[in-house]
Amino acid sequence: QVALVEAGGGSVQAGGSLTLSCAASGFSISRACMGWFRQAPGKQREGVAIIDGDDDTAYTDSVKGRFTISRDNAKNTLLLQMNNLNPEDTGMYFCAARLGTCHLAVFRESFYRDWGQGTQVTVSS
């Protein structure tokens, strides 16, 4: 059974940092396409960062240079390091997976078949 469990959210002041984690079970993330998405109140869910099975990454423009997506294969866990947070980063953050050997991740939400429950990130000014 596939499961994704996010953790690491919380409340921080602008300029602070958080590291989100997504513990995966039921499959290996090492060659999968994985992504982080977020949803602010009243807004659509948006892709934040993606990583493919070749460890190529991509980011939405608003987080480039501030966020880093990576994976700890030994722990079968996806990570999102978030630095220099601003209030616009506030939202519920979800991890998502496209299982199997995946060579090209995309920002399309429907591409990812498995999703975690989300972890809340709140950035105050």
Side-chain angles (χ1 to χ4, degrees):
Q1 297 294 107
V2 172
L4 300 169
V5 180
E6 300 98 332
S11 298
V12 298
Q13 291 186 320
S17 298
L18 285 172
T19 300
L20 306 183
S21 64
C22 174
S25 59
F27 73 105
S28 174
I29 72 167
S30 64
R31 300 292 296 175
C33 285
M34 307 287 292
W36 287 98
F37 292 74
R38 68 187 179 190
Q39 187 168 27
K43 296 183 179 180
Q44 292 185 323
R45 193 175 305 182
E46 65 171 344
V48 176
I50 53 176
I51 183 169
D52 66 22
D54 302 314
D55 286 335
D56 292 322
T57 60
Y59 302 87
T60 192
D61 286 344
S62 64
V63 310
K64 287 180 180 176
R66 300 189 297 120
F67 290 13
T68 302
I69 187 171
S70 63
R71 53 177 140 229
D72 185 338
N73 289 330
K75 297 180 179 179
N76 210 38
T77 298
L78 182 74
L79 302 171
L80 183 68
Q81 176 66 49
M82 305 186 294
N83 297 324
N84 194 25
L85 288 160
N86 60 61
E88 288 68 47
D89 296 316
T90 292
M92 186 73 73
Y93 283 69
F94 302 86
C95 65
R98 172 88 170 213
L99 276 60
T101 300
C102 179
H103 294 290
L104 182 63
V106 297
F107 278 102
R108 188 184 313 114
E109 184 174 339
S110 63
F111 180 76
Y112 301 92
R113 306 297 173 83
D114 295 278
W115 293 79
Q117 83 289 349
T119 185
Q120 178 67 36
V121 172
T122 303
V123 185
S124 62
S125 60

